[in-house]
Amino acid sequence: MKSLTDLSANMASAGWLILNAIRIYWKTIFIILYPLALLPVFLFDNVAALRCLYVVLLMAGYWVSEALPLPVTSLIPMVLFPLMGVLDSDKVSLCYLKETNMMFVGGLIIAIALEHCNLHRRVALYVIKLVGCSPRKLNLGLVTVTMLVSMWISNTAATAMMIPIIEATLIELEEQGIGQMFETPSFLDGASSEKMSADEEDEEDPKRPTKETMCYFVSTAYAACIGGNGCIIGSGTNLTFKGIYETRFDNSPGVEFAKWLFVNVPMMLIMMYLTVIWLQFWYMGLFRPKSADAKRLNVGKQNETVARKLIGRKLTEMGPMSFHETAVGCLFVLSVLLWFFRKPQFIVGWAELITQHKVKDATAALIVVLLLFVIPSSPDFIYMFSKDEEKRPKAASHALLTWKVVQQKLPWGLIFLLGGGFALAEASKVSGMSQLIADHLHGFAMLPRFWVMVISCLFATFITQFTGSNVAVANVFLPVLAEMCLVAKIHPMYLMMPATLSCSFSYCLPISTPPMAIAAAPCNMRSTEMAKAGLGVAIISLATLFAVFPFLGSYIWNFDTFPEWAN
C-alpha cells in the first residue's frame, strides 16, 4: 500500500515538474514542435503552392504566439523560400526594401523629427486649449488631437504622446478637489474593513479607475487606431496593403495618397465622433442627465478653469516657438503637399512636370528627409560675419535631425515585418498558393460582392482582437483576398481596402494592439471593461465602413467594372 502511495506521489510530482517545464519553456517547445506538426501540409503532395502554404502557416503561428520576436519571424522567408524551391534568394531579398518600405522609413523619420523638436506636444496643448476644458469638451479635444496626430505618425507613438498629458491633467484636477482618477474602495463587512497590510494592498491592487478616467484613456487609444486609417502613412497595415496591392497588380495605378485621403478621411471622422458619442454615453452619462455618471461631471466651471490653467502653464513652460520647431513644421507641411500634389488627378502633378518616369510617394518623403539633415536647427549662421563677436557662432549648429536620434527611435523591426509580408505575397503569387486557396473558396467568392466584403471584414476584425500585430494579420489575409478578387471578378480595391482597415479595428483587449496596452496600464483598466467599450466601437467602425465605403469608393475606382489591368 505504501509503495502505491509513493508511486502516486512520485507520478504527481513528475507531472507537476513537466507542467512547470512546459510553462517556463513553452516558447522553445512550440518553436520546435509546431514546424514538425505542419509537415503533412506538403509531404503528401509536394508542390510549390503547398510548400509556400507551409511557410505561411508557420509564420502565422509564430506571429500569433510571438514565440519568436515578430521581426525575426519576418526573416523566415529569406531562409525557407530559397531552400524549399519557392522563390530565389535575390527575389526574396528585393521584397524587404520595396518602394513602400522606403516610404515607411521616410514617413517615420519625419514623425521622429516632429517628436524630437517637441512640436507635436505644443500642437496638442494648443488644440486642447482651443476646444475647451470641461470634461466632455476636454475629452473631445484630446480625441481630436490624437486622431489628427495619428494620421501622420504611428498610432503607438500618438498614444504614448497623449497619455502623459491626460494623466497630468487628471492628477491636477484631483489635487484641486475636482474630479477623481480612482474610485475610493469601500469595504462593507467588518472583516474586510480591517486595515490591509501594504503587501495585501499591492497584491489585490484595490485602485479602480472611475468611469470618467476610463473614458479619457481608452478613447485616446481608439482615436489613435481610427486616426491611423485616415492617411496611408498612418498605419503599418495601410502600407502593407499598398505593398501587396502594387506587387500583385503591378500594372494598376497603385494606391495613391490623394485618393486614400478622399475616401478614408470622411470615414475616419464619422467613426471617431460616433465613437466619442458612444463612449460619453457609456462612461459620462451623455443623453442620461439623471444618471450618476452625468451628476458626477456636473461640477460647474471650476473644473474647466483649473484644466485651462494647467494647459496654459504647460505652454508657458515650453516657451515661445523656436526656429527648430518652425522649420520642422514647415517641412512637415511641405511633405503633405508633395504627397497630395504628386498625382492629384484634377491637375497635372509636380512629378509629371519634371519627368516621364514613374515617381511614387517614397521620393516625396525622402526629399523632406534629406532637407531635415541639411537645414540647421539654429539660424545663428546669419551672424557669422557680425561685428559683435559675442553673436558669432563658435561651432556649427546641429541639423534639424541627427542620425543618432533616428537610430535610437526608428523601429527597425517594423521594416522587416513589412518586408516579410511582401515576401509572403510575392511567393503566394509565384507559387500559386493564393490561387489554390481562392479556388477552394470559390463558393464563398460567388456570393454578392457586398456580402463577400462584409464577411471578410468581420473575419479580419475578429482575428485582430487576439493578435499583437494587425500587420501580421494583413500580411496573411490580403494575398488570399487578391486572388479571390480575380476568381470572382471583383475590383481588388473593393475587398482589399476594407479588409485592411478592419485589421486596425482592434479595440477589445489590451493585447489587441500596443495603443490599447499603453492606455490600459496607467489607469488599471480591466480587460472586461475594455471589451465592453471596444465591442461598441468595433460595431460603429464596421457599420460606417459598410455604409460609406461602397458608395464613396465607387466614385474613385468604379467598382462596377472589373479593371483590365487586374488580368
Side-chain angles (χ1 to χ4, degrees):
M1 186 69 179
K2 186 177 179 180
S3 60
L4 287 174
T5 305
D6 292 343
L7 180 62
S8 299
N10 290 335
M11 289 178 65
S13 178
W16 184 87
L17 288 172
I18 292 170
L19 289 174
N20 191 49
I22 292 173
R23 181 182 63 83
I24 295 171
Y25 299 110
W26 72 268
K27 287 188 176 183
T28 304
I29 294 169
F30 184 80
I31 289 168
I32 295 170
L33 295 183
Y34 184 61
L36 299 177
L38 288 178
L39 286 175
V41 169
F42 71 91
L43 284 182
F44 299 109
D45 188 9
N46 192 6
V47 295
L50 292 179
R51 293 196 297 273
C52 181
L53 179 61
Y54 172 84
V55 177
V56 171
L57 293 175
L58 178 65
M59 292 178 67
Y62 284 172
W63 268 333
V64 171
S65 66
E66 296 191 42
L68 286 173
L70 297 180
V72 175
T73 299
S74 303
L75 295 174
I76 288 176
M78 196 64 231
V79 177
L80 291 187
F81 281 155
L83 293 178
M84 298 179 74
V86 176
L87 209 60
D88 294 342
S89 293
D90 289 344
K91 291 182 178 178
V92 179
S93 299
L94 290 173
C95 295
Y96 283 85
L97 211 58
K98 298 170 74 70
E99 185 270 341
T100 303
N101 298 71
M102 293 307 298
M103 181 184 178
F104 179 62
V105 171
L108 280 176
I109 291 176
I110 294 170
I112 289 169
L114 288 170
E115 291 181 52
H116 179 55
C117 70
N118 231 10
L119 180 62
H120 64 319
R121 188 165 181 264
R122 185 185 294 274
V123 171
L125 292 171
Y126 267 118
V127 173
I128 294 167
K129 187 177 181 181
L130 180 68
V131 170
C133 296
S134 67
R136 291 195 184 111
K137 284 184 180 179
L138 183 59
N139 177 240
L140 180 65
L142 291 165
V143 160
T144 301
V145 172
T146 309
M147 175 187 69
L148 295 175
V149 169
S150 187
M151 287 178 65
W152 311 103
I153 68 175
S154 75
N155 50 21
T156 303
T159 308
M161 175 194 84
M162 294 302 298
I163 290 299
I165 296 174
I166 295 170
E167 202 166 8
T169 304
L170 294 180
I171 289 171
E172 180 73 16
L173 290 173
E174 189 171 30
E175 287 176 355
Q176 299 295 328
I178 303 167
Q180 195 173 349
M181 273 194 74
F182 297 97
E183 293 178 358
T184 304
S186 58
F187 305 100
L188 301 178
D189 56 281
S192 60
S193 63
E194 295 178 4
K195 189 177 181 181
M196 298 194 327
S197 67
D199 291 340
E200 287 173 328
E201 285 185 6
D202 291 341
E203 184 179 345
E204 295 190 19
D205 193 16
K207 293 170 66 176
R208 292 186 59 186
T210 60
K211 287 190 173 183
E212 183 183 348
T213 299
M214 287 190 283
C215 186
Y216 280 121
F217 280 90
V218 80
S219 61
T220 302
Y222 295 150
C225 294
I226 293 171
N229 287 334
C231 179
I232 197 167
I233 64 167
S235 169
T237 53
N238 301 348
L239 292 167
T240 298
F241 162 63
K242 174 180 166 66
I244 292 174
Y245 184 89
E246 293 177 356
T247 297
R248 182 62 187 87
F249 305 106
D250 49 2
N251 292 322
S252 72
V255 183
E256 295 168 4
F257 186 87
K259 290 182 177 179
W260 183 283
L261 287 179
F262 179 82
V263 172
N264 285 289
V265 167
M267 288 196 296
M268 175 191 76
L269 294 173
I270 294 170
M271 288 178 195
M272 189 68 263
Y273 293 116
L274 286 178
T275 294
V276 171
I277 292 171
W278 156 246
L279 292 174
Q280 291 196 1
F281 169 80
W282 186 254
Y283 289 120
M284 290 185 167
L286 185 66
F287 307 129
R288 297 183 290 126
K290 295 183 180 179
S291 66
D293 299 329
K295 290 176 181 176
R296 193 183 299 116
L297 297 181
N298 188 20
V299 292
K301 293 193 175 182
Q302 189 180 1
N303 190 332
E304 184 170 357
T305 303
V306 171
R308 193 178 292 276
K309 284 182 180 177
L310 173 67
I311 299 298
R313 188 166 70 245
K314 288 183 176 294
L315 282 169
T316 303
E317 289 171 1
M318 292 188 74
M321 197 165 177
S322 66
F323 174 82
H324 192 170
E325 291 173 271
T326 304
V328 171
C330 291
L331 288 179
F332 171 73
V333 173
L334 175 63
S335 67
V336 175
L337 293 175
L338 288 174
W339 279 323
F340 190 86
F341 289 103
R342 179 184 64 83
K343 194 176 179 182
Q345 302 296 318
F346 56 89
I347 57 172
V348 178
W350 61 266
E352 296 169 287
L353 293 173
I354 295 172
T355 178
Q356 297 301 312
H357 290 279
K358 186 179 284 188
V359 176
K360 292 192 174 183
D361 290 325
T363 301
L366 293 176
I367 289 172
V368 175
V369 167
L370 289 174
L371 291 174
L372 286 170
F373 287 96
V374 171
I375 298 173
S377 59
S378 174
D380 55 3
F381 60 88
I382 62 175
Y383 300 110
M384 189 68 232
F385 301 103
S386 174
K387 293 180 180 180
D388 187 349
E389 195 171 329
E390 293 295 323
K391 289 186 177 181
R392 293 177 200 165
K394 303 296 186 292
S397 172
H398 290 297
L400 296 174
L401 190 63
T402 64
W403 188 248
K404 184 178 180 181
V405 173
V406 173
Q407 282 182 309
Q408 291 172 345
K409 293 189 175 183
L410 189 69
W412 300 97
L414 281 176
I415 300 171
F416 291 139
L417 190 57
L418 286 175
F422 298 155
L424 287 183
E426 180 68 17
S428 299
K429 179 178 75 172
V430 172
S431 69
M433 184 209 78
S434 297
Q435 181 66 49
L436 180 69
I437 294 175
D439 289 342
H440 280 82
L441 295 174
H442 191 272
F444 169 60
M446 291 303 103
L447 291 171
R449 69 182 184 186
F450 177 78
W451 293 110
V452 176
M453 181 190 74
V454 168
I455 294 169
S456 301
C457 291
L458 288 173
F459 180 77
T461 302
F462 177 77
I463 293 298
T464 198
Q465 307 303 328
F466 305 100
T467 62
S469 173
N470 42 25
V471 174
V473 175
N475 278 332
V476 175
F477 195 39
L478 291 178
V480 176
L481 281 183
E483 297 302 327
M484 194 180 296
C485 290
L486 296 179
V487 171
K489 300 298 179 185
I490 299 173
H491 195 297
M493 195 67 75
Y494 188 85
L495 291 187
M496 293 179 72
M497 182 180 282
T500 300
L501 299 175
S502 298
C503 287
S504 293
F505 297 165
S506 43
Y507 309 130
C508 290
L509 296 169
I511 63 167
S512 299
T513 191
M516 304 312 299
I518 293 170
C523 70
N524 297 331
M525 189 172 185
R526 294 181 177 180
S527 297
T528 51
E529 277 292 340
M530 185 173 283
K532 291 174 189 175
L535 181 61
V537 181
I539 291 170
I540 287 169
S541 298
L542 287 167
T544 303
L545 182 65
F546 300 151
V548 176
F549 179 79
F551 302 102
L552 198 57
S554 63
Y555 286 105
I556 299 294
W557 294 292
N558 188 15
F559 291 145
D560 294 326
T561 304
F562 185 69
E564 292 183 7
W565 48 257
N567 291 317

